[in-house]
Amino acid sequence: MANRTVSDARNIHGTNPQYLLEKIIRSRIYESLYWKEDCFGLTAESLIDKADQLTCIGGQYGNQKPTEFLCLTLKLLQLQPEKEIIIDFIRNEDSKYLRALGAFYFRLIGDSVEIYKYLEPLLYDFRKLRRRLPDGAYDIIHMDEFIDSLLRDERVCDTIMPRILKRQVLEENEELEPRVSFLEDELEQEALAAKKKEEENKSRSRSRSSSRVSNLCIIYIYLVIIKIFNFLFFFFIIFFYYFYFIIFF
């Protein structure tokens, strides 16, 4: 049947993968026109083309109608493609909605360590995503906001997120390396730049100070030379008049 999970699928979190979406939402997806016309007969490969055509993310809207994003999520749960294929979705930089779909699906089926490992790098993706709101309108969020909600919120796109261990616990168990945020990297770089600038200013200050001392020394030597010259000139005049009087008087 078109709505059944593939026969060789493994249980995820102890249950049929499709059951990760609530029964009422699954029923609405099965009844939707998009599911019947566009999702029928899809494979993991052909689903990529459908994901490329997505124009928004979201859960249900209007009269509890499921978004195409949610329909393709259920299709992935039904097909249960190899994890490497989903990782390729996540690493795909050309299609932001394919990446968002892969991240959403991986959050549902992955374990805690894998989720942090593959989703946290997407916190550096700041591209805009359109999100379908319950009233049918759209708003704009960014990829990093969407990923952050997947890691923190209990419900995303009208879907209950499976529980995962907190990052701090995984770090304490040495299953994850401590994460250095983008902001911390920026602050560190700014601190290094400020320190470098301060050292350059000190160097210029020393250079100016040294230049002032050098100029003062030159002026002092110049004044000493002038005084010596004046003294010699005065001595010469006296000497000249002395011999003049001796010779002529």
Side-chain angles (χ1 to χ4, degrees):
M1 296 293 290
N3 297 337
R4 287 181 180 174
T5 307
V6 292
S7 57
D8 58 345
R10 302 179 304 276
N11 282 352
I12 302 296
H13 305 305
T15 187
N16 185 312
Q18 290 196 76
Y19 294 174
L20 294 174
L21 294 186
E22 295 171 67
K23 183 177 180 180
I24 185 64
I25 293 178
R26 294 199 309 271
S27 298
R28 288 167 182 161
I29 291 174
Y30 295 150
E31 294 169 3
S32 69
L33 191 63
Y34 182 80
W35 176 266
K36 293 175 181 178
E37 293 186 354
D38 293 84
C39 295
F40 181 79
L42 282 180
T43 63
E45 291 75 19
S46 59
L47 188 142
I48 295 175
D49 295 329
K50 290 295 180 182
D52 280 335
Q53 296 170 15
L54 288 174
T55 58
C56 67
I57 62 172
Q60 300 179 97
Y61 67 96
N63 189 24
Q64 304 299 308
K65 184 179 179 181
T67 60
E68 296 175 1
F69 180 83
L70 209 54
C71 291
L72 291 181
T73 299
L74 182 60
K75 194 64 183 180
L76 284 172
L77 291 170
Q78 186 185 87
L79 295 173
Q80 199 182 66
E82 292 296 325
K83 194 171 288 184
E84 289 72 20
I85 294 176
I86 303 304
I87 292 172
D88 286 340
F89 285 11
I90 294 171
R91 289 176 173 169
N92 187 300
E93 296 184 356
D94 297 326
S95 175
K96 58 185 179 182
Y97 289 105
L98 177 62
R99 169 174 277 189
L101 179 66
F104 185 70
Y105 173 77
F106 199 80
R107 174 63 180 84
L108 292 173
I109 61 100
D111 63 44
S112 299
V113 174
E114 290 177 325
I115 288 168
Y116 285 109
K117 178 181 177 182
Y118 291 108
L119 264 58
E120 280 187 336
L122 305 190
L123 292 171
Y124 299 102
D125 187 344
F126 307 113
R127 286 178 293 179
K128 295 178 180 179
L129 296 170
R130 284 210 315 170
R131 177 173 56 183
R132 198 75 184 259
L133 300 175
D135 62 0
Y138 295 93
D139 71 351
I140 298 295
I141 66 167
H142 296 82
M143 181 71 77
D144 62 309
E145 296 177 88
F146 178 60
I147 299 301
D148 187 65
S149 67
L150 290 177
L151 296 175
R152 295 175 183 272
D153 297 345
E154 295 181 358
R155 195 176 187 90
V156 181
C157 296
D158 292 323
T159 305
I160 298 172
M161 296 289 105
R163 293 178 65 85
I164 57 173
L165 292 174
K166 291 186 179 296
R167 196 180 209 290
Q168 183 180 352
V169 174
L170 296 173
E171 289 179 9
E172 291 172 355
N173 294 338
E174 297 183 351
E175 296 181 68
L176 280 179
E177 293 291 329
R179 177 174 172 266
V180 179
S181 71
F182 181 72
L183 181 59
E184 287 176 343
D185 285 340
E186 277 196 340
L187 291 174
E188 186 176 349
Q189 290 175 5
E190 287 178 3
L192 289 173
K195 185 177 180 181
K196 184 178 180 182
K197 188 174 182 180
E198 183 180 352
E199 289 176 352
E200 288 176 352
N201 290 337
K202 285 182 179 178
S203 177
R204 291 195 195 99
S205 179
R206 290 194 207 100
S207 178
R208 285 195 294 267
S209 178
S210 176
S211 178
R212 290 193 198 100
V213 170
S214 178
N215 290 337
L216 288 173
C217 288
I218 292 171
I219 292 171
Y220 178 76
I221 292 170
Y222 178 73
L223 291 174
V224 169
I225 291 172
I226 290 175
K227 285 184 178 181
I228 292 173
F229 178 79
N230 288 338
F231 174 79
L232 292 175
F233 181 76
F234 181 73
F235 180 79
F236 176 77
I237 295 298
I238 293 174
F239 186 78
F240 175 77
Y241 277 106
Y242 176 76
F243 277 96
Y244 180 78
F245 278 105
I246 289 176
I247 294 172
F248 292 100
F249 295 99

